[in-house]
């Protein structure tokens, strides 16, 4: 068994005959210190069906490996010299659980210190002519150069007989991409692509540098599309979205929660690998509860421990804000409301066909409801037995009124049309109007705004966002007028991205003191509005009648927008601070 300071490398020997396809793969392994200066490459690939195996020779012994790996090794071996690589199937003893447990935490080092990663997309499918596959690669190179081409220039660049031949290379390109090619849908391949300094994408006998694919993807997104490319946007977009997503994670530009949020929809064979397959993206020691894989634990425990590690190590409540809003019937069993569900939320409402999940990621940092308060790691109390989380905070108010959860208005879909969204807003406005007319407050409860002004401001979170749900600016009077115009006419306006991002996950709430806001779809009357120390938004908590300890316990419902307390105003109310325990 390998020690914690050792890794196993594979020397891939050259073919012993001129018939590379039929000559059995020959290789030998050697153990080397983790700190080795020996150059090696890493292989990123999909195992494939474990029952579909081929034999190769390893250290003089016949060993069965999955066919996809065998084909990769045949393609990657050099004609006259040895090639040194690291590949999990042969460099980790797959029958030794202790070795697997000790080697997985080393994968960050292994992939970070490789000379380059070889990304194996598999063999070119039999129904794709090699000429079309080469034209697909030429097309990527053409996009990477950033040139605008008319139909004739494109035909010449791709070496096509006629423009009508374009579907062939596009079909080849599609077979390289998500969701047709399995490399793009497996979670383990994410860190294998992000960590190395360089990467080369190998598809059968063809190869292309990752940097070329990245340039092509950015150029596709940034440049205006031509009439030639418009019919094929879906295929090209599939590739560019995945490539740019990996680059964003490589740059770590959106913070640590971006890793699990962006990649948790990818597939794994072992459910706990939804966490363990991402560990290499975090610095060693940052995730103390999660960093040693333990496959005896339940999914609820591992996902909760991972969430607590993110909160404690980064002193940030973003992880609990993002995870709680995506709960559906297929959610992880026994998972606490505050924990990131690594199985994702594929049942979200879509607004005019738009999936608004990135609004969850980006909108949290628009605000500063916690003011100068911070997350004290010494006051983050996680109980593994009960799977509860204790944080410091104070109660602000209680929900006195809420509305029904928005529902899709297109039959047999999860989609809310523009007309449906406008109707929802009109109904919510009437509910708020009736409430405030029947509760004549003696003092303004929504700051200097009237309740009506607070309604329109809160409806878009007082922010204008882009079509990718990135913050652009604080909402202005023109944005509010455009919002009202949409509600009157149902005609799409740019400000609708802010509206859609909000009501896809939230609904109208009004508190006992008249504060107006929006909370998660499963909010109820009697739920409480809390400021948790270090939180950028207020959070909705639900008191639990049956306590398991002497401390008051709550169900964690999720983040909220509450007009008048989004910039730390509630911290001046001199409310008593306590440790709140959440399920």
């Amino acid at each position: 068994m390998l020690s914690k300071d050792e890794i196993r490398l594979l020397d891939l020997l050259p073919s012993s005959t001129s018939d590379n396809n039929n000559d059995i793969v020959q290789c030998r392994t050697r153990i080397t210190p983790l700190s080795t200066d020996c150059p090696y490459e890493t292989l990123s690939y999909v195992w494939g069906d474990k029952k579909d195996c081929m034999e190769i020779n390893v250290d003089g012994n016949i060993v069965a490996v999955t066919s996809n790996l065998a084909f990769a090794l045949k393609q990657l071996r050099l004609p006259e010299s040895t090639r040194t690589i690291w590949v999990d199937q042969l460099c980790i003893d797959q029958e030794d659980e202790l070795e697997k447990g000790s080697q997985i935490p080393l994968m960050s080092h292994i992939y970070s210190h490789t000379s380059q990663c070889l990304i194996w997309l598999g063999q070119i499918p039999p129904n794709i002519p090699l000429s079309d596959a080469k034209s697909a690669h030429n097309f990527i190179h053409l996009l990477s150069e950033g040139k605008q081409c008319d139909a004739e220039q494109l035909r010449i660049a791709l070496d096509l007989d006629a423009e009508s031949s374009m579907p062939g290379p596009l079909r080849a390109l599609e077979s390289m991409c998500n969701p047709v090619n399995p490399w793009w849908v497996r979670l383990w391949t994410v860190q294998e692509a992000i960590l190395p300094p360089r990467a080369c994408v190998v598809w059968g006998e063809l190869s292309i540098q990752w940097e070329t694919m990245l340039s092509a993807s950015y150029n596709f997104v940034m440049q205006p599309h031509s009439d030639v490319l418009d019919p094929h946007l879906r295929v090209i977009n599939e590739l560019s979205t995945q490539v740019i997503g990996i680059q964003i994670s490589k740059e770590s530009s959106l913070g640590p929660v971006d890793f699990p949020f962006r990649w948790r929809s990818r597939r794994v064979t072992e459910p706990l690998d939804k966490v363990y397959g991402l560990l290499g993206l975090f610095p060693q020691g940052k995730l103390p509860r999660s960093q040693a894989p333990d496959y005896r634990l339940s999914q609820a425990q591992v996902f909760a421990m991972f969430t607590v590690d993110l909160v404690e190590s980064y002193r940030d409540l973003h992880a609990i804000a993002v995870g709680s809003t995506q709960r559906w019937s297929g959610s992880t069993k026994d998972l606490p409301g505050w924990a990131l569900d690594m199985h994702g939320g594929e049942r979200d409402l879509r607004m005019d066909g738009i999936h608004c999940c990135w609004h969850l990621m980006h909108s949290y940092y628009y605000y500063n409801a916690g003011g100068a308060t911070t997350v004290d790691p010494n006051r983050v109390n996680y109980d593994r037995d009960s799977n509860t989380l204790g944080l410091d905070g104070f109660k602000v108010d209680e929900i006195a009124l809420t509305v029904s959860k928005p529902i899709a208005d297109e039959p047999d879909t999860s989609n809310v049309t523009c007309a449906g969204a406008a109707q929802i807003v009109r109904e919510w406005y009437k509910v708020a109007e009736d409430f405030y007319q029947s509760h004549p407050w003696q003092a303004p409860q929504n700051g200097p705004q009237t309740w009506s002004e607070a309604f329109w401001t809160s409806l878009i979170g007082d922010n204008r966002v882009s079509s990718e749900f990135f913050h652009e600016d604080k909402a202005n009077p023109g944005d509010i007028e455009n919002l009202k115009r949409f509600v009157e006419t149902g005609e799409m306006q740019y400000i609708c991205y802010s509206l859609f991002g909000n009501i896809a996950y939230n609904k109208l709430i009004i508190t006992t003191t008249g504060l107006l806001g929006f909370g998660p779809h499963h909010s109820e009357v009697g739920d409480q509005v809390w400021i948790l120390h270090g939180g950028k938004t207020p959070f909705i908590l639900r008191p639990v009648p049956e306590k398991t300890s002497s401390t008051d316990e709550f169900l964690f419902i999720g983040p909220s927008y509450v007009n008048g307390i989004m910039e730390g105003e509630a911290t001046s109310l001199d409310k008593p601070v306590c440790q709140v325990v959440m399920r």
Side-chain angles (χ1 to χ4, degrees), residues 84-325:
T84 301
I85 64 174
W86 185 94
V87 53
D88 58 354
Q89 203 171 146
L90 294 170
C91 294
I92 298 177
D93 185 348
Q94 299 299 321
E95 302 301 319
D96 188 333
E97 292 298 326
L98 290 177
E99 181 168 304
K100 286 170 65 177
S102 66
Q103 287 288 294
I104 287 176
L106 302 182
M107 290 181 68
S108 174
H109 181 96
I110 292 168
Y111 277 90
S112 298
H113 289 76
T114 181
S115 58
Q116 77 167 343
C117 180
L118 302 166
I119 296 174
W120 172 250
L121 298 184
Q123 295 179 290
I124 298 172
N127 64 333
I128 302 294
L130 182 59
S131 59
D132 283 348
K134 288 181 177 179
S135 291
H137 267 215
N138 291 340
F139 180 57
I140 294 173
H141 279 285
L142 188 67
L143 278 178
S144 73
E145 295 169 0
K147 297 178 180 177
Q148 290 292 307
C149 296
D150 60 25
E152 180 61 16
Q153 290 172 315
L154 189 63
R155 183 190 68 77
I156 295 172
L158 301 189
D159 194 24
L160 301 176
D161 294 332
E163 186 183 349
S164 60
S165 303
M166 190 66 180
L170 264 296
R171 188 171 63 252
L173 186 66
E174 185 174 24
S175 71
M176 289 178 60
C177 302
N178 172 47
V180 177
N181 191 293
W183 187 88
W184 300 98
V185 299
R186 300 295 292 180
L187 185 133
W188 278 102
T189 60
V190 170
Q191 64 176 358
E192 297 165 2
I194 291 172
L195 294 172
R198 295 177 60 245
C200 179
V201 180
V202 184
W203 187 39
E205 64 183 69
L206 305 178
S207 63
I208 188 169
Q209 290 298 312
W210 181 265
E211 286 298 321
T212 301
M213 295 184 67
L214 182 62
S215 296
S217 298
Y218 276 129
N219 286 336
F220 167 72
V221 171
M222 300 300 295
Q223 294 187 2
H225 301 148
S226 67
D227 293 339
V228 181
L229 295 184
D230 280 348
H232 314 292
L233 292 184
R234 181 190 63 80
V235 175
I236 307 170
N237 188 60
E238 287 285 1
L239 180 64
S240 63
T241 299
Q242 293 292 318
V243 172
I244 292 174
I246 287 174
Q247 185 63 23
I248 289 173
S249 292
K250 185 184 278 283
E251 296 170 356
S252 299
S253 57
L254 296 180
V257 176
D258 177 69
F259 297 142
F261 189 84
R262 182 179 297 274
W263 303 115
R264 62 182 172 175
S265 62
R266 287 205 173 194
R267 300 172 193 162
V268 293
T269 302
E270 164 54 59
L272 299 188
D273 286 340
K274 288 277 190 167
V275 169
Y276 298 149
L278 295 175
L279 292 181
L281 300 176
F282 296 89
Q284 187 69 20
K286 269 292 189 182
L287 306 175
R289 296 173 181 82
S290 313
Q291 65 187 7
D294 185 347
Y295 290 93
R296 298 167 298 179
L297 299 175
S298 69
Q299 295 177 56
Q301 286 177 306
V302 172
F303 296 171
M305 290 161 58
F306 179 54
T307 307
V308 176
D309 279 342
L310 291 172
V311 168
E312 189 174 79
S313 295
Y314 292 93
R315 304 187 181 193
D316 194 328
L317 302 187
H318 193 195
I320 68 172
V322 165
S324 63
T325 52

Side-chain angles (χ1 to χ4, degrees), residues 10 12 23-29 43 45-59 61-75 85 87-95 120:
L10 186 77
L12 182 59
D23 187 23
I24 189 171
V25 171
Q26 308 234 17
C27 45
R28 56 176 177 255
T29 62
L43 180 62
Y45 70 108
V46 173
W47 277 46
D49 187 351
K50 292 184 179 181
K51 295 179 181 178
D52 180 14
C53 292
M54 295 175 62
E55 292 182 342
I56 65 172
N57 188 305
V58 181
D59 297 328
N61 302 310
I62 298 300
V63 175
V65 298
T66 58
S67 294
N68 194 42
L69 175 57
F71 285 124
L73 296 176
K74 282 188 177 186
Q75 187 60 53
I85 64 174
V87 53
D88 58 354
Q89 203 171 146
L90 294 170
C91 294
I92 298 177
D93 185 348
Q94 299 299 321
E95 302 301 319
W120 172 250

Side-chain angles (χ1 to χ4, degrees), residues 395-402 435-436 438-443 445-446 509-517 524-529 562 575:
K395 175 186 171 183
V396 177
D397 210 340
E398 185 173 303
I399 296 177
L401 176 144
T402 187
F435 180 88
Y436 285 104
S438 61
H439 295 76
W441 306 104
Q442 294 181 348
Q445 301 300 308
N446 289 288
I509 61 172
I510 302 176
T511 71
T512 56
T513 61
L515 294 174
L516 183 148
E524 297 178 359
V525 171
D527 291 348
Q528 299 176 1
V529 179
V562 180
K575 299 279 188 177

Side-chain angles (χ1 to χ4, degrees), residues 492-540:
M492 182 69 177
Q493 306 285 329
Y494 191 73
I495 195 62
C496 286
Y497 292 110
S498 299
L499 171 68
F500 291 170
N502 183 22
I503 65 177
Y505 301 100
N506 297 306
K507 62 181 183 180
L508 174 70
I509 61 172
I510 302 176
T511 71
T512 56
T513 61
L515 294 174
L516 183 148
F518 288 83
H521 286 165
H522 50 298
S523 303
E524 297 178 359
V525 171
D527 291 348
Q528 299 176 1
V529 179
W530 281 69
I531 298 295
L532 300 178
H533 281 191
K536 298 299 182 183
T537 67
F539 292 91
I540 306 299

Side-chain angles (χ1 to χ4, degrees), residues 242-497:
Q242 293 292 318
V243 172
I244 292 174
I246 287 174
Q247 185 63 23
I248 289 173
S249 292
K250 185 184 278 283
E251 296 170 356
S252 299
S253 57
L254 296 180
V257 176
D258 177 69
F259 297 142
F261 189 84
R262 182 179 297 274
W263 303 115
R264 62 182 172 175
S265 62
R266 287 205 173 194
R267 300 172 193 162
V268 293
T269 302
E270 164 54 59
L272 299 188
D273 286 340
K274 288 277 190 167
V275 169
Y276 298 149
L278 295 175
L279 292 181
L281 300 176
F282 296 89
Q284 187 69 20
K286 269 292 189 182
L287 306 175
R289 296 173 181 82
S290 313
Q291 65 187 7
D294 185 347
Y295 290 93
R296 298 167 298 179
L297 299 175
S298 69
Q299 295 177 56
Q301 286 177 306
V302 172
F303 296 171
M305 290 161 58
F306 179 54
T307 307
V308 176
D309 279 342
L310 291 172
V311 168
E312 189 174 79
S313 295
Y314 292 93
R315 304 187 181 193
D316 194 328
L317 302 187
H318 193 195
I320 68 172
V322 165
S324 63
T325 52
Q326 293 187 297
R327 291 289 188 262
W328 49 288
S329 60
S331 295
T332 300
K333 182 182 179 183
D334 299 326
L335 189 70
W338 48 265
L340 267 169
D341 191 346
M342 294 301 291
H343 288 306
E346 297 302 317
R347 307 294 176 85
D348 304 349
L349 278 180
R350 291 179 182 263
M351 308 299 298
D352 194 34
I354 300 169
H355 194 194
C356 305
C357 65
W358 285 102
H359 190 266
L360 294 174
M361 262 295 296
H362 304 322
S363 62
Y364 177 73
Y365 289 111
Y366 299 167
Y367 315 107
N368 189 30
T373 65
T374 59
V375 176
D376 181 352
N378 296 318
R379 296 286 294 167
V380 176
N381 294 310
Y382 171 65
D383 187 301
R384 189 165 120 175
D385 292 333
S386 61
N387 231 8
T388 56
L389 174 64
L391 296 172
D392 286 343
F394 58 89
K395 175 186 171 183
V396 177
D397 210 340
E398 185 173 303
I399 296 177
L401 176 144
T402 187
V403 293
S404 300
K405 170 185 174 180
I407 59 174
D409 62 325
E410 278 190 343
D412 302 319
T413 73
S414 60
N415 186 52
V416 178
T417 64
C418 280
Q423 179 62 29
I424 288 170
V425 175
R426 288 193 293 268
E427 291 173 358
W428 287 356
Y429 186 90
K430 183 64 169 62
V431 169
E433 182 178 47
D434 291 345
F435 180 88
Y436 285 104
Q437 286 181 349
S438 61
H439 295 76
W441 306 104
Q442 294 181 348
Q445 301 300 308
N446 289 288
Q449 293 183 313
T450 65
W451 75 262
S452 180
E453 292 169 333
F455 177 87
W456 295 111
T457 299
S458 302
L459 196 58
I460 53 175
D462 199 19
N463 274 280
R464 182 173 68 252
V465 302
S466 69
S467 58
E468 290 82 29
F469 298 103
F470 284 105
H471 171 69
E472 287 190 345
D473 205 349
K474 195 174 179 65
N476 60 42
D479 295 322
I480 300 299
E481 288 307 310
N482 287 334
L483 177 62
K484 291 179 179 179
R485 186 175 299 113
F486 165 76
V487 174
E488 291 172 2
T489 66
E491 295 178 0
M492 182 69 177
Q493 306 285 329
Y494 191 73
I495 195 62
C496 286
Y497 292 110

